[in-house]
Amino acid sequence: MKLLKEMQYIIILLSILGGIFLFLSGIKIISTSFEKTVSKKFKTTLYKLTNNKIVGVLLGIMITGLLQSSSATTLLVVSLVHSNLINIYKAVPIIMGANIGTTITAQIVAIEIKNYAIYFLLAGFITMPFFKKESNKIIPRLLIGISLIFLGLDIVSNSIASTNSTKKLSLLIENIGTNDALGIFSGFLITAIIHSSSTGIAILQIMASSNIIPVRTSIPIMLGQNIGTCIDTLIGSLATNRTGKQAAFVHIIFNIIGVIIFYFFTDYLYNFVSIISPNNPSRQIANAHTLFNVITTLLLLPFSSTLVNISKKILKE
């Protein structure tokens, strides 16, 4: 009997990992479909567009929305700062915009189209041979990428739902739910390990929709995930010069300040998303994620130069 239970847990774990792999594969396909084209246009127009902070934020949102990775956008900006192709002060609004852009994934996850995912997958494979030009193949690749995202989430959802009755999981969630600081730390740790805040938030959405974890408990975890996503940028900046490292550190400072602010307003955030998206836990988490990044950007954008100066003081030559 014990062996049978252990085998069941192993199967569930493998199913969850398989679902996460499909989810990440979908994001990767979408990312690589845009990457070459976006990178060229991004580099050639970046210098002209970043004289305006608002335009810089919008550029960060657009690029991250296409690449489906705030880390990819931020690392690209850090590398450009390192190469003196863009001023560090002009880079900060783009990094802020990248944080908003990454919330698009959570909004997509909240859309209930998983029943049609297999049709998107088939459509992508069937139409692929009809697109002769490489640039036009982005359409079937997007269909395949989107379908893999939802198929992966469906697998993870079914796997996690089967663990609903486990005492250990319930106890862990109960402990996190009574301590916002523990929730933030848990979110940071999860994202630092899996290197994807989008995946971590998608799992939160699944668990909340399956009534495994309350939305109120999910919000501090989501806040911590925004700090955890800075790990990739920090690691990537180790290969850059001092200015590149300072740009990466601004990303960390931005998210930490945002989390500190929202730590004291978690209940207000939860109440607000409950009102604007009632009876939809997945959408509530997606909206909380979007609101966190949009409001933090609006609050800190006027002080972007101050954030750079703080970074320069911390990371002196």
Side-chain angles (χ1 to χ4, degrees):
M1 188 68 178
K2 187 178 179 181
L3 180 62
L4 182 61
K5 282 187 177 181
E6 288 179 353
M7 288 296 295
Q8 287 176 337
Y9 286 133
I10 291 172
I11 292 170
I12 289 169
L13 179 60
L14 291 175
S15 297
I16 292 173
L17 291 175
I20 291 173
F21 175 77
L22 287 178
F23 177 83
L24 291 175
S25 296
I27 290 179
K28 184 66 177 177
I29 289 171
I30 294 173
S31 172
T32 53
S33 297
F34 284 108
E35 198 163 23
K36 291 182 181 178
T37 304
V38 169
S39 293
K40 289 177 183 177
K41 291 181 179 179
F42 187 64
K43 290 176 182 177
T44 54
T45 61
L46 197 58
Y47 185 79
K48 296 177 182 178
L49 293 175
T50 52
N51 288 320
N52 186 298
K53 287 183 179 181
I54 302 297
V55 174
V57 171
L58 294 175
L59 192 61
I61 294 171
M62 182 184 70
I63 300 300
T64 306
L66 295 176
L67 296 182
Q68 289 293 297
S69 172
S70 60
S71 296
T73 304
T74 306
L75 283 171
L76 179 58
V77 172
V78 168
S79 67
L80 292 173
V81 171
H82 164 80
S83 304
N84 292 320
L85 295 174
I86 180 175
N87 185 281
I88 186 172
Y89 291 95
K90 293 181 179 181
V92 175
I94 304 173
I95 292 172
M96 291 180 176
N99 273 36
I100 298 174
T102 196
T103 67
I104 293 172
T105 305
Q107 294 292 350
I108 292 172
V109 170
I111 301 171
E112 294 293 332
I113 62 170
K114 63 182 181 181
N115 294 332
Y116 304 98
I118 191 68
Y119 299 112
F120 286 151
L121 185 65
L122 290 172
F125 280 114
I126 291 170
T127 57
M128 182 74 78
F130 294 98
F131 292 92
K132 303 300 180 183
K133 289 185 178 180
E134 189 66 26
S135 58
N136 292 335
K137 288 185 177 180
I138 190 172
I139 298 171
R141 283 173 180 162
L142 284 176
L143 289 173
I144 293 170
I146 291 170
S147 66
L148 289 178
I149 286 173
F150 283 98
L151 286 172
L153 289 174
D154 196 33
I155 292 171
V156 174
S157 177
N158 292 331
S159 301
I160 289 177
S162 64
T163 66
N164 195 14
S165 60
T166 58
K167 292 182 180 180
K168 289 183 179 179
L169 183 61
S170 299
L171 184 61
L172 176 63
I173 292 168
E174 186 179 339
N175 289 333
I176 291 174
T178 57
N179 191 324
D180 287 347
L182 180 60
I184 291 171
F185 178 74
S186 300
F188 165 78
L189 198 61
I190 290 167
T191 307
I193 292 171
I194 65 177
H195 292 278
S196 174
S197 60
S198 297
T199 306
I201 291 169
I203 292 172
L204 279 181
Q205 289 174 278
I206 291 169
M207 294 178 73
S209 298
S210 303
N211 296 317
I212 297 174
I213 183 171
V215 173
R216 173 60 180 80
T217 303
S218 302
I219 291 177
I221 299 174
M222 176 274 293
L223 295 177
Q225 288 173 332
N226 280 274
I227 299 176
T229 196
C230 299
I231 295 296
D232 286 338
T233 307
L234 184 63
I235 293 172
S237 71
L238 295 177
T240 66
N241 57 20
R242 180 169 55 91
T243 311
K245 290 182 178 68
Q246 289 168 348
F249 209 75
V250 169
H251 188 214
I252 299 171
I253 297 170
F254 171 81
N255 281 287
I256 289 176
I257 292 175
V259 169
I260 291 172
I261 293 170
F262 273 86
Y263 176 80
F264 298 101
F265 296 96
T266 303
D267 287 325
Y268 294 100
L269 180 60
Y270 167 65
N271 291 332
F272 184 71
V273 296
S274 297
I275 293 169
I276 63 173
S277 29
N279 305 317
N280 192 338
S282 182
R283 180 66 67 190
Q284 288 171 11
I285 293 172
N287 287 340
H289 187 212
T290 300
L291 285 168
F292 165 77
N293 285 289
V294 170
I295 293 172
T296 302
T297 296
L298 290 174
L299 290 174
L300 297 183
L301 184 60
F303 305 100
S304 59
S305 297
T306 304
L307 295 181
V308 173
N309 293 334
I310 292 171
S311 179
K312 286 185 173 183
K313 287 183 178 179
I314 295 173
L315 297 175
K316 294 180 180 179
E317 188 172 4

